[in-house]
Amino acid sequence: MRYLKILEYALASLLRRPGKTCAILVVYTLMIVVLASVLFLTQALKTEATTMLAGGPQLVVQKTMAGRHELIPVSAVEKLVEIPGVKAVKPRVWGYYYDALTGTNYTLQGFDTLANELSLLNGRLPREEGECAIGAGVARSRLIHLQDELILIDYDNIGRIFTVTGVFVSAADLLTQDLVVMPEGPLRQFFGMPDSLATDLAVEVYNPNEVDTIANKIKRSLPDSRPITQSELLRTYHAVFDWRGGMMLALFSSALMAFCILAWDKATGLSAGERREIGILKAVGWDTGDVLLLKLWEGLALSLLAFLSGCLIAFILVFWWGTPVLGGILRGWSVLFPALRPTPFIDFYQLGTLAFLTIIPYVASTVIPAWRAAVTDPDEVMRAS
Amino acid sequence: MIRSRAYLCLIAVLLTALAGLTGWAQKTSATFLADGLPARRQLVSVLSLTDLALWTEARYTRHPSMADLFSPFQDHPGAFDHFPAGSLMAPAGPRPETTMHIRRVAQP
Amino acid sequence: MNPLIRTEEVCKTYHPRKADATQAVAGITMQVASGEAVVLKGPSGSGKTSLLSLVGCMTRPTSGRVIVTGEEVSRLPERFLTLVRRRTFGFVFQQYHLIPELSVRDNVMLPLYPERLSANEMGRRVAAALAEVELTGLARRRVTELSGGEQQRVAIARALVNEPRVLIADEPTAHLDSRLSTVLLERFAALKQAGLTLVIATHDPQVYTHPLVDRIIELHDGRLCKEGGA
Ligand SMILES: Nc1ncnc2c1ncn2[C@@H]1O[C@H](COP(=O)(O)OP(=O)(O)O)[C@@H](O)[C@H]1O
Ligand SMILES: [Mg+2]
């Protein structure tokens, strides 16, 4: 009851300075919106990326020459399959294509024609030369649809015509938007890549726990190779999003500093009016504890409201509105824009940390300066105005 | 007591809304894990994809986990070269987990 | 008969360990009986306000004892001192000390927040206190929109809202003209009639010659120099 009543007074006293209270509330909420958006978005993308990519190759072996990536001889496959624990080795053929027409980069990905059909593909996978499946981003940028023709210029500067047999659904944009998929053979012809070479090798192992050991063995049997394990690959994505999030926070740090200055300003001194008010309250019979409770409520009322509404706005912004402004900053610039509609994976631990790191300092900066005024005798109010 | 009641109501509404959204998020992500994920994993495995198509502008951003002919830091899959200031921070994660024993003399 | 308030050789020194130490109250022994109206009289700077804050549990004496309702308050922990101050005393400060941005009603309600009272009971007491000073019509006004005399009535209502036993008033007529002073003294007389004990500090002859005053305690330089009936 006493708590409620003092909350009542705290709200009344916040409403006494509506301009100041509103300004703090807006800045505070905005700060939470940005911080929470970054957390939501990076967490969702990280989780989504790692769960999806876990379906990819367990181990990729590249060849390096003079410290650079080189095409790997297909003959290396025989050497690798002999390593105990290796289930299968598949040469991969893929590469990039710059489309001068639209100023866009495509990724040309070869695949095994034995593969079955995909549920995320409208139409079917290409089967022979002159056919391809494309990502929704490619379709958008070239204004083509299913059964239309896609003209690409090959290594020899000859225009080649491909029939679009399938377009990936845009729900899979995060994986496929810039892909042009065709069977391995035609892709080799397009790139002018000899049959004896491949871009890299995908290795399948029997026991995923042994991947690191096998990577070691591969490194020993092919000294000029560079094995990349899936865990390294997934960690890369964790790191990339952490780094992106960090960059974003760095950009945002000026706003954070402004907020700190505000809190500092509050923390370093009470105004004469506030000091006088505390004196009056004590003189009319408020305890030190009552006064501190009042200040606690004042800080808590504001920061709780700001935190909750900030989280709410961030949630709606990120998961329903596709992160209008922040998404661009977080993702960087791009010609092809995948719609950023991440699956809402939420990390409550992070949210708790955010709450802890924003609410506690703010409340402390309201309560602590009031402390000194609250513990002194109130007889000061008996004289002088 | 009007203000405190209104305030507590507001907080309760916000909490309920957040709880509702969180519930929705849990449900959606669970659905994704149950229905959407297998299809995506199949896609990833059939096309043997290694990276997200988030940054399509440069080779080394399109496939951050793969080394590339022009990638400055290709021995370190955790190093990002979005711009030169990528060296501002030490790349996260361990070095590649492969080690090599170097022979002094070529074996016959 | 036990007096309601008693001081024994009470002293108050401000900044005791510094060069500008001031002894505002220098060993005063006096008492106030229940239902009595006592005036502290003396020139400015003679220690009236300091003695009032000692008596009203606003601060602790440097030495000596203050006894309220038989209990020595000078050594009570802060929490109990606050309790005594809230339950036993009502203060009307010289500068009124209302909180400017709040309404008349909210100002009068201030002493009730720390009490265990329901919202209805709080409202009832505030209404009663406002009726007592005839301010019911202005309850929702901001105090800054009131005249000086009305502000003082708000201050009196605030002092009365906790139903105290003692009303302490410091220079109550300092900001009033003689007509308003007369009205105020009539009000004080009525309160005394209702059983309230009054302790008033003043140097205004209009106050200490008023028939409601039972006893005058004259101070000079923090010492008691004359005590007697009006
Ligand atoms: N907080 C204080 N610090 C130092 N000196 C004070 C303080 N309060 C009062 N005094 C001094 O104590 C003396 C008595 O003051 P006060 O009790 O206000 O007298 P009165 O109310 O009779 O005018 C004065 O000399 C005054 O300067
Ligand atoms: Mg005085």
Side-chain angles (χ1 to χ4, degrees):
Chain A
M1 200 56 216
R2 170 167 157 261
Y3 289 88
L4 267 191
K5 281 191 302 197
I6 290 182
L7 170 63
E8 178 79 16
Y9 185 76
L11 292 173
S13 86
L14 283 176
L15 289 177
R16 262 157 52 199
R17 300 170 289 255
K20 193 181 165 203
T21 306
C22 275
I24 293 178
L25 197 63
V26 167
V27 173
Y28 201 158
T29 309
L30 217 63
M31 190 182 79
I32 300 284
V33 167
V34 174
L35 293 177
S37 301
V38 172
L39 284 188
F40 283 150
L41 196 59
T42 50
Q43 179 63 26
L45 283 176
K46 257 196 288 194
T47 314
E48 202 167 336
T50 47
T51 49
M52 288 192 312
L53 293 177
Q58 287 163 318
L59 196 60
V60 174
V61 181
Q62 296 182 325
K63 179 186 172 176
T64 53
M65 178 184 277
R68 293 184 162 191
H69 174 229
E70 266 282 332
L71 299 182
I72 194 163
V74 177
S75 58
V77 170
E78 274 121 59
K79 258 181 147 174
L80 294 189
V81 285
E82 281 167 14
I83 293 172
V86 172
K87 191 172 165 191
V89 182
K90 218 166 57 180
R92 302 200 307 158
V93 179
W94 58 273
Y96 303 104
Y97 177 85
Y98 178 68
D99 182 42
L101 208 62
T102 54
T104 323
N105 285 302
Y106 300 152
T107 298
L108 271 51
Q109 189 91 30
F111 78 104
D112 207 338
T113 34
L114 297 173
N116 36 1
E117 288 302 314
L118 295 171
S119 56
L120 291 169
L121 183 69
N122 285 326
R124 59 168 178 81
L125 279 172
R127 285 187 199 125
E128 51 208 50
E129 202 178 337
E131 287 184 347
C132 71
I134 57 175
V138 179
R140 268 195 306 274
S141 76
R142 295 286 282 249
L143 301 171
I144 50 177
H145 305 282
L146 208 57
Q147 300 305 331
D148 284 351
E149 278 165 354
L150 174 70
I151 301 174
L152 300 176
I153 294 163
D154 77 358
Y155 76 104
D156 210 13
N157 216 13
I158 297 169
R160 302 238 190 169
I161 301 173
F162 297 92
T163 310
V164 177
T165 61
V167 178
F168 291 100
V169 299
S170 20
D173 260 1
L174 207 52
L175 288 168
T176 59
Q177 63 151 346
D178 70 334
L179 285 189
V180 175
V181 173
M182 57 184 84
E184 224 177 87
L187 189 58
R188 278 183 195 282
Q189 284 174 26
F190 182 82
F191 279 146
M193 188 190 289
D195 285 347
S196 60
L197 295 177
T199 312
D200 48 30
L201 304 178
V203 178
E204 219 183 313
V205 300
Y206 283 109
N207 181 357
N209 295 332
E210 279 176 9
V211 164
D212 290 339
T213 330
I214 291 169
N216 251 320
K217 285 179 187 161
I218 292 173
K219 181 77 187 162
R220 218 164 298 152
S221 98
L222 288 177
D224 62 347
S225 75
R226 189 174 88 104
I228 303 163
T229 64
Q230 195 176 63
S231 69
E232 278 175 329
L233 192 150
L234 298 185
R235 255 202 305 273
T236 301
Y237 272 88
H238 265 283
V240 165
F241 286 119
D242 285 346
W243 161 244
R244 277 277 168 182
M247 236 163 64
M248 166 83 237
L249 293 184
L251 288 177
F252 184 62
S253 61
S254 57
L256 214 65
M257 289 308 282
F259 190 75
C260 290
I261 290 169
L262 191 117
W264 177 253
D265 179 46
K266 277 170 53 112
T268 43
L270 290 180
S271 69
E274 284 171 301
R275 199 184 301 278
R276 181 169 157 265
E277 183 183 339
I278 291 176
I280 295 172
L281 291 177
K282 285 210 74 182
V284 301
W286 287 42
D287 205 358
T288 305
D290 296 325
V291 174
L292 292 181
L293 181 64
L294 164 69
K295 288 293 164 184
L296 181 77
W297 267 131
E298 266 183 31
L300 208 58
L302 208 73
S303 43
L304 213 59
L305 190 62
F307 181 78
L308 289 180
S309 39
C311 283
L312 205 66
I313 295 173
F315 190 102
I316 292 170
L317 229 53
V318 170
F319 295 123
W320 283 352
W321 274 352
T323 332
V325 179
L326 293 179
I329 305 176
L330 194 70
R331 200 179 25 187
W333 62 284
S334 197
V335 177
L336 284 182
F337 276 116
L340 215 52
R341 281 291 151 87
T343 313
F345 291 101
I346 296 174
D347 186 350
F348 292 99
Y349 174 73
Q350 278 187 346
L351 263 188
T353 312
L354 179 63
F356 187 78
L357 288 182
T358 49
I359 294 178
I360 303 282
Y362 186 80
V363 171
S365 77
T366 27
V367 174
I368 292 169
W371 194 285
R372 279 194 52 186
V375 293
T376 49
D377 280 339
D379 69 319
E380 225 27 63
V381 295
M382 293 288 287
R383 56 198 97 241
S385 43
Chain B
M1 299 286 114
I2 301 161
R3 292 189 199 103
S4 57
R5 215 156 281 167
Y7 176 79
L8 291 179
C9 282
L10 181 62
I11 292 293
V13 165
L14 285 177
L15 272 177
T16 322
L18 260 183
L21 286 180
T22 326
W24 171 81
Q26 298 283 38
K27 220 180 110 215
T28 314
S29 50
T31 317
F32 173 79
L33 288 182
D35 306 339
L37 190 59
R40 283 169 178 74
R41 282 216 177 155
Q42 186 203 17
L43 180 84
V44 167
S45 114
V46 166
L47 303 182
S48 91
L49 301 180
T50 50
D51 288 271
L52 295 185
L54 261 178
W55 301 284
T56 58
E57 299 317 311
R59 301 159 225 256
Y60 52 86
T61 56
R62 175 62 180 84
H63 288 93
S65 69
M66 299 289 111
D68 175 81
L69 210 51
F70 297 98
S71 178
F73 309 119
Q74 52 180 290
D75 258 342
H76 205 305
F80 335 105
D81 26 325
H82 293 264
F83 44 76
S87 49
L88 195 70
M89 252 168 58
R95 302 287 176 286
E97 283 155 0
T98 45
T99 53
M100 187 165 58
H101 296 279
I102 299 144
R103 280 178 264 117
R104 202 177 271 265
V105 181
Q107 277 161 4
Chain C
M1 194 198 72
N2 245 354
L4 186 60
I5 303 164
R6 197 149 53 89
T7 66
E8 291 174 2
E9 287 301 322
V10 73
C11 293
K12 180 73 188 178
T13 308
Y14 292 101
H15 314 303
R17 268 177 285 284
K18 287 192 195 152
D20 61 340
T22 333
Q23 188 162 40
V25 178
I28 290 183
T29 304
M30 62 136 201
Q31 33 185 283
V32 179
S34 186
E36 217 182 0
V38 175
V39 162
L40 302 181
K41 179 185 151 190
S44 184
S46 56
K48 303 183 296 292
T49 303
S50 304
L51 186 56
L52 279 186
S53 42
L54 284 171
V55 163
C57 303
M58 289 283 209
T59 184
R60 291 168 207 273
T62 319
S63 68
R65 308 205 297 163
V66 178
I67 295 148
V68 177
T69 60
E71 208 174 352
E72 183 178 350
V73 292
S74 24
R75 282 191 234 306
L76 283 179
E78 207 240 84
R79 220 147 52 85
F80 296 98
L81 202 68
T82 307
L83 206 65
V84 172
R85 179 161 74 233
R86 189 168 73 226
R87 297 262 168 90
T88 316
F89 296 99
F91 293 87
V92 180
F93 304 106
Q94 189 173 357
Q95 263 82 21
Y96 310 151
H97 285 316
L98 304 172
I99 295 182
E101 300 93 340
L102 291 182
S103 70
V104 169
R105 212 176 153 273
D106 290 342
N107 262 291
V108 175
M109 205 180 273
L110 287 182
L112 296 179
Y113 283 99
E115 293 285 352
R116 293 181 173 278
L117 295 175
S118 70
N120 284 341
E121 176 65 11
M122 279 169 81
R124 201 194 55 73
R125 285 214 198 172
V126 170
L130 284 177
E132 181 99 36
V133 297
E134 292 143 46
L135 274 178
T136 310
L138 299 181
R140 305 222 160 262
R141 277 277 197 98
R142 275 168 145 237
V143 288
T144 41
E145 297 164 0
L146 300 182
S147 73
E150 285 166 334
Q151 289 192 10
Q152 191 180 45
R153 273 147 70 196
V154 177
I156 294 174
R158 186 177 68 187
L160 294 178
V161 76
N162 250 329
E163 297 164 7
R165 299 182 63 183
V166 185
L167 186 73
I168 291 181
D170 193 7
E171 314 266 5
T173 57
H175 304 296
L176 303 180
D177 60 26
S178 72
R179 190 184 57 80
L180 277 177
S181 300
T182 313
V183 176
L184 175 74
L185 288 168
E186 288 309 310
R187 195 180 301 287
F188 279 176
L191 290 172
K192 188 193 163 198
Q193 202 69 45
L196 213 63
T197 309
L198 298 176
V199 181
I200 304 167
T202 188
H203 59 258
D204 180 1
Q206 205 187 342
V207 178
Y208 60 77
T209 55
H210 196 273
L212 89 101
V213 179
D214 296 317
R215 211 147 49 84
I216 298 174
I217 295 172
E218 214 173 310
L219 299 181
H220 197 82
D221 281 343
R223 284 170 211 288
L224 203 147
C225 68
K226 201 157 95 191
E227 186 175 352

